[in-house]
Amino acid sequence: MTEQPGRPKYYRGAVAISGDRIALVSDSPQRIERYERERGEGLQVADGAGRLVMPGLINLHNHVSMTLMRGYADDLPLMPWLTEKIWPFEAKLDGDDIYSGAELGIAEMLLGGTTAFVDMYWYADRVAEAAIRSGIRAVVSPAFVGTAFDGYVERTQRMIERYNGAAGDRIRVWVAPHAPYTCTPKQIRESLKLCERNGVGVNIHVAETLSEVETIRERYGKTPVEHLRDLGVFDYRALAVHCVHLTETDMEILSRQGVSVVYNPQSNMKLASGIAPVARLLERGANVGIGTDGPSSNNDLDMWDEMRTGSFLQKVATGDPCVLPAYEVLRMATTRAADAIGMKGEIGVLAEGARADLIVLNLDKPHLTPCHDLVANLVYCAKPSDVETVMVDGRIVVRQGALANGDFGAIRREVERRLGVLQRRGE
């Protein structure tokens, strides 16, 4: 399946991979035969009957190591959830905990067809290490809040020098002030020097709750979007995560300055934060992608379910069943997401010359039958269990529904062991 203006195109043909790139996408018997002849005996052929090859999904917002807190603090508003449950739990974590939680979350994403993700967390170097080992593509963003800013610039500079472009450019490092209400203007400006010096992007929560909007207006007399614009955040490639409570002026700023908004429908529903005005943002020409948020506020990393929920929620919010149709939300998880992280045309597409970040789905399932509209089936019906094969940079990382670079049983046992250590650590 390849992207075309208006609708995708489906090939009953062949896709060929050479190295880390897609070498052929064609339904022409002559082109396919010529490619096979030129490759000769070294060509490995796989039968794709009953299968769909498509670009891997891109999860634009995550706190992957919060798998350790899955189901730990449910049914609470955002601020009590953070201050009374999540932050005290996180205070006990060390780098090994973060690595273990990241391994678990990455396994969940890969097995479900996510080939790239954007993360924001502490000990981001350990998230990078887990990503390198697994074979997934990742943008890792070392996060900070105002009370833990000392040394951030120096630590992040070292991390950028070590990991940015690592593993064949599978790993990229961005800057991540947690939010305008948890970071001071001075700290945010200081962190942006890293963007200026290294050409990296910035990843920040924005206007997630009404209380945040009220806090920023009381402190600075502006909306969160206006405040961040005036600090220079949007002068760099930026991901504005959540953007639930926006004014018309905010939406114009985000669109005009080329900021990519990240829609997190299930997390916003669970924490009762509200519904992001995605339909209006798209009308104004803003780039909007989709993310799961962390597995404590979601509680999973299932991009298929996130797409389905994201579309349905916009229809309810606007009273318009035509809003955010299946193909548009699929683009939010592929081409639009790739554009958001500076990889437009490189990933999120099935095209000759693009990186070979691909997934293979088994369409021979009851919930995918019949197929009047393939895109509608994918967005509204598909499940992680439909994914059989996952490839990142031309390397298979999931084969026949199992991890190629890890043992899920061992990952699960280590997570359980570390949770026992954490429990004793808090006594």
Side-chain angles (χ1 to χ4, degrees), residues 349-369:
V349 292
L350 187 61
E352 293 176 7
R355 291 177 183 268
D357 287 15
L358 306 175
I359 60 178
V360 181
L361 278 74
N362 182 352
L363 301 181
D364 188 19
K365 299 289 185 75
H367 58 275
L368 294 173
T369 306

Side-chain angles (χ1 to χ4, degrees), residues 37-58:
R37 188 169 59 251
E38 290 171 353
R39 293 289 296 183
E41 296 181 358
L43 184 67
Q44 298 181 26
V45 179
D47 184 5
R51 304 299 189 266
L52 172 72
V53 180
M54 64 174 284
L57 304 178
I58 303 167

